[in-house]
Amino acid sequence: MDSSTKPLADRVALVTGGASGIGAAAARRLATDGAHVVIADLDGAGALTTAKEIAEAGGAAWGFECDQTKPDQVDALFDRLVEEHGRLDICVANAGWGRFGTFLEMPRRVWERTFEVNVTGTFAVCQEAARRMATAGNGGSIVVTSSSGAIEPVALFSAYCSAKAALNMMVKIMAYELGQYDIRANAVMPGVTETSMTNSLLDGDSRGYNEAESPLGRLGRPEDVADAIAYLASADSAYVNGAALLVDGGGSAYSPGWFGTDFRVRNSSGWTPRHQQFRFQDNGAR
Ligand SMILES: NC(=O)c1ccc[n+]([C@@H]2O[C@H](COP(=O)([O-])OP(=O)(O)OC[C@H]3O[C@@H](n4cnc5c(N)ncnc54)[C@H](O)[C@@H]3O)[C@@H](O)[C@H]2O)c1
């Protein structure tokens, strides 16, 4: 396809959390569709690596280090983006962070960090993107990576699911308020997707259990979510605004969730992905 006829030709897209997983796949996909892609991540080296891979494949991409919980770093990212690329048409607010454990054991700092990264950090990115888009007057599309956990409770994910539910509401209100500027806001809600975030959860029996619980018989791939993000970023979704699109292979329509316990055993703290004994895993909040 001639580059000028690609669906996102001449569009500038920001993808946060693009160093790995879903964000990296979204950056690759948007670049394939012709967009100039700015990749921002706490992992600056990873963002540069994704950008380099895209450039080597013939796309246009740049990588920046940015911790979205630091307002000065978010401001600096947008200043540079507009200075170097002149415009912003698409914002994929995808960066996220999660730790899991029982509600009784959840440390306050893990709860707070979950909200700081996923809710406040995503708010900061979306607000700055919307401000730049509204000022420029060219409209735009904002896509937030939420989670199927925003609408389906997952045992041991109290902080994460609550944070993602907050994002779904934020997206609806962005859609409501920003439509007058031709800025659309939508969310994708991935189910269990194979990335570095879920690697440790898919050890042992857990992988087979989750595959068996998926109506499509497999886990999600980052590219599955990237395809949905590309749709919401493009003119193909011109009248889709305020939606939250499940990309979970139908898992939430059926699955009883990742973890189970035997509620006949009173005061049991044993949550099992099938046979595996599960206890709180705290890898430390950054
Ligand atoms: N993998 C899944 O099963 C799954 C399911 C539902 C939703 N999600 C969501 O998808 C998004 C992408 O996650 P992923 O699965 O690709 O995991 P991932 O760990 O591969 O990617 C997350 C990226 O976010 C970056 N990040 C973390 N904190 C940051 C911060 N403060 N500032 C900037 N960047 C930061 C990380 O460095 C990383 O590159 C997240 O929002 C996640 O919550 C993932």
Side-chain angles (χ1 to χ4, degrees):
M1 193 186 284
D2 179 86
S3 62
S4 63
T5 60
K6 289 185 176 182
L8 299 180
D10 302 326
R11 296 284 186 268
V12 176
L14 168 67
V15 180
T16 68
S20 65
I22 293 167
R28 286 193 296 271
R29 172 63 202 267
L30 296 179
T32 301
D33 287 353
H36 290 219
V37 184
V38 174
I39 298 158
D41 203 295
L42 179 66
D43 174 4
L48 285 171
T49 301
T50 305
K52 191 164 168 270
E53 285 167 5
I54 290 171
E56 283 169 2
W62 295 262
F64 291 104
E65 182 172 328
C66 175
D67 180 345
Q68 67 180 25
T69 68
K70 303 271 180 355
D72 55 328
Q73 293 190 24
V74 173
D75 288 348
L77 167 71
F78 279 91
D79 285 346
R80 261 191 85 178
L81 189 155
V82 172
E83 194 182 302
E84 294 182 13
H85 302 282
R87 58 187 291 152
L88 176 65
D89 304 286
I90 296 159
C91 172
V92 181
N94 164 81
W97 185 87
R99 294 290 180 269
F100 50 94
T102 68
F103 187 77
L104 291 176
E105 294 175 297
M106 175 66 64
R108 187 184 175 104
R109 67 183 165 76
V110 172
W111 179 278
E112 288 177 346
R113 181 66 179 168
T114 307
F115 272 72
E116 187 183 24
V117 176
N118 295 289
V119 183
T120 310
T122 303
F123 155 75
V125 166
C126 291
Q127 185 188 50
E128 203 49 40
R131 283 176 171 167
R132 308 282 173 154
M133 289 172 179
T135 302
N138 300 317
S141 174
I142 298 174
V143 185
V144 170
T145 306
S146 175
S147 168
S148 59
I151 56 170
E152 292 290 325
V154 183
L156 310 178
F157 283 71
S158 57
Y160 183 80
C161 289
S162 301
K164 294 296 190 179
L167 286 185
N168 277 24
M169 182 54 76
M170 188 184 83
V171 163
K172 284 188 189 187
I173 293 171
M174 284 197 296
Y176 195 174
E177 291 191 17
L178 301 175
Q180 62 188 309
Y181 304 99
D182 285 328
I183 300 168
R184 296 182 296 112
N186 294 287
V188 287
M189 299 190 291
V192 184
T193 308
E194 294 200 66
T195 68
S196 60
M197 187 177 270
T198 49
N199 272 348
S200 66
L201 298 172
L202 295 171
D203 288 347
D205 292 341
S206 180
R207 168 177 293 278
Y209 171 79
N210 278 286
E211 286 169 351
E213 294 288 307
S214 166
L216 294 182
R218 67 171 176 87
L219 301 175
R221 302 177 187 121
E223 291 72 21
D224 295 321
V225 187
D227 289 346
I229 290 172
Y231 163 69
L232 292 172
S234 78
D236 285 348
S237 61
Y239 202 58
V240 181
N241 192 23
L245 179 59
L246 273 169
V247 189
D248 70 342
S252 57
Y254 161 69
S255 171
W258 286 40
F259 302 101
T261 194
D262 185 348
F263 290 113
R264 294 166 302 184
V265 182
R266 305 308 294 167
N267 305 321
S268 167
S269 60
W271 292 82
T272 54
R274 225 175 210 172
H275 313 295
Q276 206 173 302
Q277 180 69 18
F278 184 82
R279 296 284 301 175
F280 183 78
Q281 285 190 358
D282 181 6
N283 303 327
R286 276 184 292 179

